[in-house]
PDB file of all heavy atoms in Angstrom:
ATOM      1  N   VAL A   4      44.913  52.162   5.538  1.00 91.00           N
ATOM      2  CA  VAL A   4      45.007  53.052   4.391  1.00 91.00           C
ATOM      3  C   VAL A   4      46.432  53.586   4.385  1.00 91.00           C
ATOM      4  O   VAL A   4      46.903  54.110   5.406  1.00 91.00           O
ATOM      5  CB  VAL A   4      43.980  54.205   4.472  1.00 91.00           C
ATOM      6  CG1 VAL A   4      44.207  55.200   3.361  1.00 91.00           C
ATOM      7  CG2 VAL A   4      42.558  53.666   4.443  1.00 91.00           C
ATOM      8  N   ASN A   5      47.113  53.432   3.263  1.00 92.00           N
ATOM      9  CA  ASN A   5      48.527  53.821   3.169  1.00 92.00           C
ATOM     10  C   ASN A   5      49.349  53.215   4.301  1.00 92.00           C
ATOM     11  O   ASN A   5      50.169  53.878   4.913  1.00 92.00           O
ATOM     12  CB  ASN A   5      48.682  55.339   3.134  1.00 92.00           C
ATOM     13  CG  ASN A   5      48.010  55.947   1.928  1.00 92.00           C
ATOM     14  OD1 ASN A   5      47.985  55.346   0.855  1.00 92.00           O
ATOM     15  ND2 ASN A   5      47.445  57.125   2.107  1.00 92.00           N
ATOM     16  N   ASN A   6      49.046  51.944   4.591  1.00 94.00           N
ATOM     17  CA  ASN A   6      49.736  51.161   5.622  1.00 94.00           C
ATOM     18  C   ASN A   6      49.519  51.700   7.039  1.00 94.00           C
ATOM     19  O   ASN A   6      50.233  51.332   7.967  1.00 94.00           O
ATOM     20  CB  ASN A   6      51.232  51.036   5.316  1.00 94.00           C
ATOM     21  CG  ASN A   6      51.797  49.737   5.844  1.00 94.00           C
ATOM     22  OD1 ASN A   6      51.088  48.742   5.947  1.00 94.00           O
ATOM     23  ND2 ASN A   6      53.072  49.746   6.179  1.00 94.00           N
ATOM     24  N   GLU A   7      48.548  52.594   7.228  1.00 92.00           N
ATOM     25  CA  GLU A   7      48.233  53.127   8.548  1.00 92.00           C
ATOM     26  C   GLU A   7      46.941  52.490   9.056  1.00 92.00           C
ATOM     27  O   GLU A   7      45.923  52.512   8.361  1.00 92.00           O
ATOM     28  CB  GLU A   7      48.057  54.650   8.483  1.00 92.00           C
ATOM     29  CG  GLU A   7      47.871  55.273   9.834  1.00 92.00           C
ATOM     30  CD  GLU A   7      47.907  56.802   9.783  1.00 92.00           C
ATOM     31  OE1 GLU A   7      48.044  57.376   8.689  1.00 92.00           O
ATOM     32  OE2 GLU A   7      47.809  57.403  10.848  1.00 92.00           O
ATOM     33  N   PRO A   8      46.950  51.898  10.268  1.00 94.00           N
ATOM     34  CA  PRO A   8      45.731  51.285  10.808  1.00 94.00           C
ATOM     35  C   PRO A   8      44.630  52.326  11.002  1.00 94.00           C
ATOM     36  O   PRO A   8      44.848  53.358  11.626  1.00 94.00           O
ATOM     37  CB  PRO A   8      46.176  50.713  12.151  1.00 94.00           C
ATOM     38  CG  PRO A   8      47.659  50.664  12.099  1.00 94.00           C
ATOM     39  CD  PRO A   8      48.081  51.769  11.162  1.00 94.00           C
ATOM     40  N   ILE A   9      43.467  52.035  10.432  1.00 95.00           N
ATOM     41  CA  ILE A   9      42.312  52.935  10.518  1.00 95.00           C
ATOM     42  C   ILE A   9      41.273  52.397  11.493  1.00 95.00           C
ATOM     43  O   ILE A   9      40.704  53.139  12.274  1.00 95.00           O
ATOM     44  CB  ILE A   9      41.668  53.113   9.124  1.00 95.00           C
ATOM     45  CG1 ILE A   9      42.673  53.638   8.112  1.00 95.00           C
ATOM     46  CG2 ILE A   9      40.429  53.984   9.191  1.00 95.00           C
ATOM     47  CD1 ILE A   9      43.258  54.978   8.446  1.00 95.00           C
ATOM     48  N   GLY A  10      41.010  51.085  11.423  1.00 96.00           N
ATOM     49  CA  GLY A  10      39.992  50.493  12.279  1.00 96.00           C
ATOM     50  C   GLY A  10      39.974  48.984  12.168  1.00 96.00           C
ATOM     51  O   GLY A  10      40.772  48.384  11.435  1.00 96.00           O
ATOM     52  N   VAL A  11      39.045  48.367  12.906  1.00 97.00           N
ATOM     53  CA  VAL A  11      38.879  46.916  12.899  1.00 97.00           C
ATOM     54  C   VAL A  11      37.407  46.566  12.766  1.00 97.00           C
ATOM     55  O   VAL A  11      36.531  47.345  13.157  1.00 97.00           O
ATOM     56  CB  VAL A  11      39.448  46.262  14.179  1.00 97.00           C
ATOM     57  CG1 VAL A  11      40.951  46.432  14.268  1.00 97.00           C
ATOM     58  CG2 VAL A  11      38.774  46.809  15.415  1.00 97.00           C
ATOM     59  N   VAL A  12      37.152  45.384  12.206  1.00 97.00           N
ATOM     60  CA  VAL A  12      35.790  44.875  12.105  1.00 97.00           C
ATOM     61  C   VAL A  12      35.837  43.367  12.336  1.00 97.00           C
ATOM     62  O   VAL A  12      36.726  42.690  11.822  1.00 97.00           O
ATOM     63  CB  VAL A  12      35.141  45.241  10.742  1.00 97.00           C
ATOM     64  CG1 VAL A  12      35.903  44.670   9.568  1.00 97.00           C
ATOM     65  CG2 VAL A  12      33.681  44.828  10.701  1.00 97.00           C
ATOM     66  N   PHE A  13      34.927  42.866  13.176  1.00 97.00           N
ATOM     67  CA  PHE A  13      34.873  41.448  13.519  1.00 97.00           C
ATOM     68  C   PHE A  13      33.511  40.870  13.140  1.00 97.00           C
ATOM     69  O   PHE A  13      32.586  40.871  13.950  1.00 97.00           O
ATOM     70  CB  PHE A  13      35.108  41.233  15.014  1.00 97.00           C
ATOM     71  CG  PHE A  13      36.452  41.699  15.504  1.00 97.00           C
ATOM     72  CD1 PHE A  13      36.552  42.745  16.391  1.00 97.00           C
ATOM     73  CD2 PHE A  13      37.615  41.085  15.071  1.00 97.00           C
ATOM     74  CE1 PHE A  13      37.783  43.179  16.851  1.00 97.00           C
ATOM     75  CE2 PHE A  13      38.860  41.511  15.524  1.00 97.00           C
ATOM     76  CZ  PHE A  13      38.945  42.565  16.414  1.00 97.00           C
ATOM     77  N   PRO A  14      33.374  40.374  11.905  1.00 97.00           N
ATOM     78  CA  PRO A  14      32.113  39.742  11.510  1.00 97.00           C
ATOM     79  C   PRO A  14      32.053  38.300  12.030  1.00 97.00           C
ATOM     80  O   PRO A  14      33.097  37.676  12.280  1.00 97.00           O
ATOM     81  CB  PRO A  14      32.183  39.778   9.986  1.00 97.00           C
ATOM     82  CG  PRO A  14      33.635  39.760   9.670  1.00 97.00           C
ATOM     83  CD  PRO A  14      34.328  40.445  10.809  1.00 97.00           C
ATOM     84  N   HIS A  15      30.842  37.789  12.211  1.00 96.00           N
ATOM     85  CA  HIS A  15      30.668  36.388  12.613  1.00 96.00           C
ATOM     86  C   HIS A  15      29.261  35.926  12.256  1.00 96.00           C
ATOM     87  O   HIS A  15      28.382  36.731  11.940  1.00 96.00           O
ATOM     88  CB  HIS A  15      30.931  36.207  14.113  1.00 96.00           C
ATOM     89  CG  HIS A  15      29.833  36.729  14.994  1.00 96.00           C
ATOM     90  ND1 HIS A  15      28.953  35.904  15.625  1.00 96.00           N
ATOM     91  CD2 HIS A  15      29.461  37.991  15.321  1.00 96.00           C
ATOM     92  CE1 HIS A  15      28.089  36.637  16.325  1.00 96.00           C
ATOM     93  NE2 HIS A  15      28.382  37.908  16.149  1.00 96.00           N
ATOM     94  N   ILE A  16      29.064  34.626  12.298  1.00 97.00           N
ATOM     95  CA  ILE A  16      27.733  34.043  12.128  1.00 97.00           C
ATOM     96  C   ILE A  16      27.152  33.851  13.525  1.00 97.00           C
ATOM     97  O   ILE A  16      27.800  33.274  14.405  1.00 97.00           O
ATOM     98  CB  ILE A  16      27.801  32.695  11.378  1.00 97.00           C
ATOM     99  CG1 ILE A  16      28.346  32.901   9.965  1.00 97.00           C
ATOM    100  CG2 ILE A  16      26.436  32.013  11.352  1.00 97.00           C
ATOM    101  CD1 ILE A  16      27.458  33.732   9.053  1.00 97.00           C
ATOM    102  N   GLU A  17      25.947  34.339  13.727  1.00 94.00           N
ATOM    103  CA  GLU A  17      25.281  34.213  15.016  1.00 94.00           C
ATOM    104  C   GLU A  17      24.953  32.742  15.266  1.00 94.00           C
ATOM    105  O   GLU A  17      24.359  32.085  14.412  1.00 94.00           O
ATOM    106  CB  GLU A  17      24.009  35.067  15.028  1.00 94.00           C
ATOM    107  CG  GLU A  17      23.354  35.192  16.363  1.00 94.00           C
ATOM    108  CD  GLU A  17      24.148  36.012  17.375  1.00 94.00           C
ATOM    109  OE1 GLU A  17      25.122  36.692  17.026  1.00 94.00           O
ATOM    110  OE2 GLU A  17      23.771  35.959  18.553  1.00 94.00           O
ATOM    111  N   PRO A  18      25.358  32.192  16.430  1.00 94.00           N
ATOM    112  CA  PRO A  18      25.063  30.786  16.726  1.00 94.00           C
ATOM    113  C   PRO A  18      23.563  30.500  16.709  1.00 94.00           C
ATOM    114  O   PRO A  18      22.742  31.374  17.003  1.00 94.00           O
ATOM    115  CB  PRO A  18      25.626  30.587  18.142  1.00 94.00           C
ATOM    116  CG  PRO A  18      26.614  31.692  18.317  1.00 94.00           C
ATOM    117  CD  PRO A  18      26.109  32.843  17.490  1.00 94.00           C
ATOM    118  N   ASN A  19      23.224  29.288  16.355  1.00 94.00           N
ATOM    119  CA  ASN A  19      21.837  28.794  16.347  1.00 94.00           C
ATOM    120  C   ASN A  19      20.931  29.569  15.400  1.00 94.00           C
ATOM    121  O   ASN A  19      19.748  29.762  15.673  1.00 94.00           O
ATOM    122  CB  ASN A  19      21.251  28.785  17.761  1.00 94.00           C
ATOM    123  CG  ASN A  19      22.074  27.947  18.711  1.00 94.00           C
ATOM    124  OD1 ASN A  19      22.495  26.840  18.376  1.00 94.00           O
ATOM    125  ND2 ASN A  19      22.346  28.474  19.892  1.00 94.00           N
ATOM    126  N   THR A  20      21.515  30.090  14.300  1.00 91.00           N
ATOM    127  CA  THR A  20      20.718  30.765  13.280  1.00 91.00           C
ATOM    128  C   THR A  20      20.994  30.095  11.946  1.00 91.00           C
ATOM    129  O   THR A  20      21.910  29.282  11.816  1.00 91.00           O
ATOM    130  CB  THR A  20      21.066  32.260  13.159  1.00 91.00           C
ATOM    131  OG1 THR A  20      22.407  32.379  12.656  1.00 91.00           O
ATOM    132  CG2 THR A  20      20.940  32.986  14.480  1.00 91.00           C
ATOM    133  N   ASP A  21      20.201  30.448  10.954  1.00 90.00           N
ATOM    134  CA  ASP A  21      20.399  29.934   9.605  1.00 90.00           C
ATOM    135  C   ASP A  21      21.322  30.888   8.848  1.00 90.00           C
ATOM    136  O   ASP A  21      20.883  31.649   8.000  1.00 90.00           O
ATOM    137  CB  ASP A  21      19.052  29.788   8.891  1.00 90.00           C
ATOM    138  CG  ASP A  21      19.187  29.112   7.547  1.00 90.00           C
ATOM    139  OD1 ASP A  21      20.177  28.371   7.338  1.00 90.00           O
ATOM    140  OD2 ASP A  21      18.313  29.327   6.688  1.00 90.00           O
ATOM    141  N   LYS A  22      22.614  30.868   9.249  1.00 95.00           N
ATOM    142  CA  LYS A  22      23.629  31.686   8.583  1.00 95.00           C
ATOM    143  C   LYS A  22      23.345  33.184   8.687  1.00 95.00           C
ATOM    144  O   LYS A  22      23.513  33.933   7.738  1.00 95.00           O
ATOM    145  CB  LYS A  22      23.792  31.274   7.121  1.00 95.00           C
ATOM    146  CG  LYS A  22      24.326  29.889   6.927  1.00 95.00           C
ATOM    147  CD  LYS A  22      25.802  30.003   6.790  1.00 95.00           C
ATOM    148  CE  LYS A  22      26.397  28.696   6.304  1.00 95.00           C
ATOM    149  NZ  LYS A  22      27.820  28.746   6.419  1.00 95.00           N
ATOM    150  N   GLU A  23      22.871  33.644   9.863  1.00 95.00           N
ATOM    151  CA  GLU A  23      22.642  35.074  10.086  1.00 95.00           C
ATOM    152  C   GLU A  23      23.947  35.740  10.484  1.00 95.00           C
ATOM    153  O   GLU A  23      24.543  35.404  11.499  1.00 95.00           O
ATOM    154  CB  GLU A  23      21.604  35.287  11.184  1.00 95.00           C
ATOM    155  CG  GLU A  23      21.322  36.754  11.471  1.00 95.00           C
ATOM    156  CD  GLU A  23      20.319  36.906  12.577  1.00 95.00           C
ATOM    157  OE1 GLU A  23      19.119  36.734  12.306  1.00 95.00           O
ATOM    158  OE2 GLU A  23      20.744  37.185  13.723  1.00 95.00           O
ATOM    159  N   GLY A  24      24.402  36.670   9.657  1.00 96.00           N
ATOM    160  CA  GLY A  24      25.641  37.375   9.924  1.00 96.00           C
ATOM    161  C   GLY A  24      25.432  38.559  10.847  1.00 96.00           C
ATOM    162  O   GLY A  24      24.398  39.224  10.807  1.00 96.00           O
ATOM    163  N   ARG A  25      26.430  38.790  11.658  1.00 95.00           N
ATOM    164  CA  ARG A  25      26.445  39.949  12.538  1.00 95.00           C
ATOM    165  C   ARG A  25      27.852  40.518  12.544  1.00 95.00           C
ATOM    166  O   ARG A  25      28.811  39.826  12.253  1.00 95.00           O
ATOM    167  CB  ARG A  25      26.078  39.586  13.979  1.00 95.00           C
ATOM    168  CG  ARG A  25      24.720  38.943  14.145  1.00 95.00           C
ATOM    169  CD  ARG A  25      23.731  39.882  14.776  1.00 95.00           C
ATOM    170  NE  ARG A  25      22.451  39.226  14.953  1.00 95.00           N
ATOM    171  CZ  ARG A  25      21.906  38.918  16.114  1.00 95.00           C
ATOM    172  NH1 ARG A  25      22.539  39.216  17.233  1.00 95.00           N
ATOM    173  NH2 ARG A  25      20.739  38.343  16.181  1.00 95.00           N
ATOM    174  N   ILE A  26      27.962  41.773  12.874  1.00 96.00           N
ATOM    175  CA  ILE A  26      29.269  42.361  13.103  1.00 96.00           C
ATOM    176  C   ILE A  26      29.389  42.520  14.610  1.00 96.00           C
ATOM    177  O   ILE A  26      28.713  43.351  15.218  1.00 96.00           O
ATOM    178  CB  ILE A  26      29.441  43.692  12.341  1.00 96.00           C
ATOM    179  CG1 ILE A  26      29.459  43.400  10.836  1.00 96.00           C
ATOM    180  CG2 ILE A  26      30.709  44.407  12.792  1.00 96.00           C
ATOM    181  CD1 ILE A  26      29.600  44.617   9.953  1.00 96.00           C
ATOM    182  N   PHE A  27      30.216  41.652  15.193  1.00 94.00           N
ATOM    183  CA  PHE A  27      30.377  41.629  16.641  1.00 94.00           C
ATOM    184  C   PHE A  27      30.980  42.932  17.141  1.00 94.00           C
ATOM    185  O   PHE A  27      30.585  43.461  18.170  1.00 94.00           O
ATOM    186  CB  PHE A  27      31.260  40.439  17.047  1.00 94.00           C
ATOM    187  CG  PHE A  27      31.535  40.371  18.513  1.00 94.00           C
ATOM    188  CD1 PHE A  27      30.546  39.965  19.384  1.00 94.00           C
ATOM    189  CD2 PHE A  27      32.773  40.727  19.025  1.00 94.00           C
ATOM    190  CE1 PHE A  27      30.789  39.906  20.751  1.00 94.00           C
ATOM    191  CE2 PHE A  27      33.028  40.674  20.383  1.00 94.00           C
ATOM    192  CZ  PHE A  27      32.031  40.265  21.247  1.00 94.00           C
TER     193      PHE A  27
END
Side-chain angles (χ1 to χ4, degrees):
V4 173
N5 298 326
N6 210 29
E7 186 171 2
I9 303 299
V11 295
V12 60
F13 299 114
H15 74 105
I16 297 295
E17 189 69 12
N19 303 316
T20 67
D21 187 23
K22 295 267 192 191
E23 180 181 282
R25 302 253 181 113
I26 293 179
F27 177 74

